Amino acid sequence: MKHTRLLSLLLALLMCVPAFASCGSTEEVDTTVDTSAADTEAVETEEPDPFAGTDFGGAELRISSSIDEYDSTNAHKLIAGSGELNGEIVNDAVYQRNADVEELLNVNLNFIPSEWTWENGHTEIEKLVLSGDCGFEVVINDLINLGRIAHLGYFHSVSDNQIMEFEKPYWYGEAIRDLEVVDGAAYMMMGDVFADSLASAHVLYYNKDIILNNYSDENYVQDIILAGDWTVDEMIRVTEEVAVDLDGDGAMTEGADQYGYAIIGAWGPMIPVLMGFDVQFVEETAGKISYCFNNERSVKILEKLNELYWRDAVLPDIKVGDRSDEGLLTMFAAQQTVFVGYLRLCDLERMRDIEFGVGLACYPKLDDIQENYVSSLHDTSEVGAIVVTTPLDQMDFVSTVLEVMAREAGRTIIPAYYEEALKIKYVNGSEDAAMIDLIHDSITSPFALAYNNILGGMLLANCFLTPLGSKKVDFASGYASAEKAGQQKLDELVEAFTKIVEAHNG
């Protein structure tokens, strides 16, 4: 991964020192400290804070943050918190971060909760922008909502922002660039400051006790992942090997047998699988942006999606409960499936009463050729933007506050979130910390989630998920039927972004 996070290193040092042997080194390390030069050598000190002495004179930054919890987490509690210390680890870290930012920069943070849903958030934001006074400078809302209106000129671009350091690990810089359809059109921000992006990241959960019983090693799956070998074929193999026809009737039945993998349909739950295959959807050639995924790799992707989804060891559409994430949790807790999909990292908080060991894994690569894992958000994950009603002469102020908020979130809120998850009895050790690190650092490709809707379903539905639901493996036909309309919508999107960038630069 691009970044090695400090927490994992500390956990490895404090909790799992013998794990160093797994790195392949057998040399003994001399830990004796030489203090003979202590009086003559200069003591290394921390670099001065570049924002020390910044004084905005008590200026107020107004941030609209979502309290809608549909199909995801709550952005407001992870950026605003309760507004007071209450002894809860994450809430108190949020409170302290905000207090530290206010003190360092002499600003006031005003968090304004919104209850907009994934269906109406974009229209509500549009109304406020067109009124000329949003009542806030920063908006945090669903990725799908901001993606629906980013091309309409309602947000300031952060493409050339000189204050927010998007190459830092507390920003998801690669994901921000992935959303930039044309140069200069980076209107959506993702990073630790919007902690919902991590909390709502898709994660595979599995029963460590069953893995232990099958492979004599509860970390069997994690070891495959950390070695870089977790492909969809490996996931299929493991799910087949752990599935059991418990009642011996020769058929897999929900409630009676032990499935290898369970989800709730071919749409939402298969999105993180598809995103994990790291599809490049568009490219620029000779000055024109076009789709570039009509290829053999996409043919293979649709075949593998079908191979994973339609098999006896997999329950593709559970009936338990209300056919939701709650139903998935119920089935998983009852040990009726070894792996469970669709759930998010934040769902660890809802597994406290599960008695068996719970493991977490990223989604698999397509094959050995794919270099990196990709962890998917959902289209309802919360991301941020600076509304265009914010005067240009206020951009340095807004950018500075967001940069410091993001930096301090990486130092305080994210470690606190890790700690809260890692304190759960069945998630412990450096391997689990490394897995959460991997998920954090592999949130890289949200393009399809943001723009699939406005592109008429070309990216996800037409070519992959709709044929998957019908057991079809003919990628070429689905692509051909959608290509003309899809390219027209892409041309319109590119033109809209280009005009906005030119207008703003002019």
Side-chain angles (χ1 to χ4, degrees), residues 204-205 235 239 242-243 259-263 269-270 272-273 308-309 313-316 331 337-342 363:
L204 288 172
Y205 290 102
M235 181 175 172
T239 57
V242 298
Y259 284 89
Y261 181 47
I263 48 177
M270 292 306 287
V273 181
L308 171 63
Y309 190 77
V314 172
L315 181 58
M331 186 175 185
T337 183
V338 180
F339 283 85
V340 62
Y342 192 59
Y363 279 80

Side-chain angles (χ1 to χ4, degrees), residues 113-418:
S114 71
E115 297 185 73
W116 308 320
T117 70
W118 68 272
E119 295 175 297
N120 69 2
H122 61 296
T123 58
E124 296 301 318
I125 296 168
E126 183 174 31
K127 289 176 187 177
L128 290 171
V129 172
L130 293 177
S131 75
D133 182 14
C134 286
F136 49 80
E137 289 74 43
V138 177
V139 60
I140 304 172
N141 208 262
D142 293 354
L143 176 60
I144 188 175
N145 279 331
L146 300 195
R148 283 167 169 158
I149 58 176
H151 66 293
L152 299 177
Y154 297 154
F155 308 129
H156 281 297
S157 173
V158 294
S159 294
D160 299 318
N161 195 288
Q162 300 300 304
I163 295 173
M164 288 184 282
E165 300 187 67
F166 294 128
E167 74 281 2
K168 297 290 189 180
Y170 47 79
W171 290 107
Y172 304 159
E174 190 171 342
I176 294 171
R177 289 188 293 273
D178 191 58
L179 296 173
E180 188 175 21
V181 176
V182 302
D183 289 344
Y187 296 109
M188 291 175 275
M189 298 173 289
M190 300 170 64
D192 291 344
V193 63
F194 316 115
D196 180 73
S197 295
L198 176 62
S200 66
H202 280 286
V203 178
L204 288 172
Y205 290 102
Y206 62 91
N207 187 317
K208 275 192 171 185
D209 290 7
I210 295 176
I211 293 297
L212 174 64
N213 292 338
N214 277 265
Y215 303 104
S216 301
D217 182 1
E218 69 172 11
N219 290 323
Y220 178 79
V221 174
Q222 288 184 339
D223 289 344
I224 296 173
I225 294 170
L226 296 177
D229 298 329
W230 184 237
T231 64
V232 66
D233 283 340
E234 281 291 277
M235 181 175 172
I236 289 171
R237 175 184 66 80
V238 175
T239 57
E240 283 286 341
E241 291 174 353
V242 298
V244 181
D245 176 15
L246 294 174
D247 60 10
D249 66 353
M252 296 295 289
T253 306
E254 181 177 349
D257 298 312
Q258 176 181 291
Y259 284 89
Y261 181 47
I263 48 177
I264 49 172
W267 176 244
M270 292 306 287
I271 287 177
V273 181
L274 174 58
M275 293 296 96
F277 294 157
D278 197 18
V279 184
Q280 182 182 350
F281 289 98
V282 298
E283 68 179 2
E284 182 174 357
T285 305
K288 180 177 175 59
I289 297 176
S290 303
Y291 295 114
C292 63
F293 67 105
N294 183 18
N295 50 41
E296 288 300 315
R297 192 166 187 275
S298 290
V299 172
K300 181 177 180 179
I301 286 172
L302 183 55
E303 291 174 349
K304 289 299 179 183
L305 287 174
N306 274 275
E307 190 176 339
L308 171 63
Y309 190 77
W310 297 110
R311 59 192 316 107
D312 290 342
V314 172
L315 181 58
D317 203 357
I318 69 169
K319 302 299 187 294
V320 68
D322 58 357
R323 192 179 172 273
S324 67
D325 55 348
E326 289 290 346
L328 286 169
L329 280 167
T330 298
M331 186 175 185
F332 183 57
Q335 303 197 62
Q336 295 171 0
T337 183
V338 180
F339 283 85
V340 62
Y342 192 59
L343 300 178
R344 322 296 164 85
L345 183 60
C346 63
D347 286 314
L348 275 172
E349 301 171 35
R350 298 197 286 167
M351 298 185 190
R352 296 183 185 276
D353 295 330
I354 291 180
E355 296 181 355
F356 56 83
V358 174
L360 63 161
C362 62
Y363 279 80
K365 302 176 185 178
L366 176 64
D367 50 35
D368 293 332
I369 299 173
Q370 183 176 326
E371 184 177 356
N372 297 315
Y373 297 110
V374 174
S375 293
S376 174
L377 302 183
H378 208 66
D379 55 14
T380 56
S381 297
E382 311 283 2
V383 299
I386 303 172
V387 290
V388 75
T389 51
T390 303
L392 284 173
D393 62 8
Q394 293 296 302
M395 280 296 290
D396 283 356
F397 160 65
V398 176
S399 299
T400 299
V401 178
L402 287 177
E403 171 66 16
V404 177
M405 289 182 72
R407 183 190 73 183
E408 295 306 309
R411 291 177 177 175
T412 58
I413 297 173
I414 298 302
Y417 192 79
Y418 277 32

Side-chain angles (χ1 to χ4, degrees), residues 29-64:
V29 179
D30 182 4
T31 58
T32 304
V33 178
D34 181 5
T35 60
S36 60
D39 294 332
T40 58
E41 291 184 2
V43 177
E44 184 178 348
T45 59
E46 196 174 304
E47 291 186 8
D49 188 337
F51 297 103
T54 302
D55 188 343
F56 288 112
E60 180 182 65
L61 178 65
R62 300 169 298 175
I63 301 173
S64 170

Side-chain angles (χ1 to χ4, degrees), residues 7-23 208 218-219 222-223 226 428-434:
L7 179 63
S8 288
L9 180 57
L10 291 175
L11 283 169
L13 285 169
L14 295 174
M15 300 170 60
C16 206
V17 173
F20 284 119
S22 66
C23 298
K208 275 192 171 185
E218 69 172 11
N219 290 323
Q222 288 184 339
D223 289 344
L226 296 177
N428 55 77
S430 62
E431 293 88 356
D432 294 299

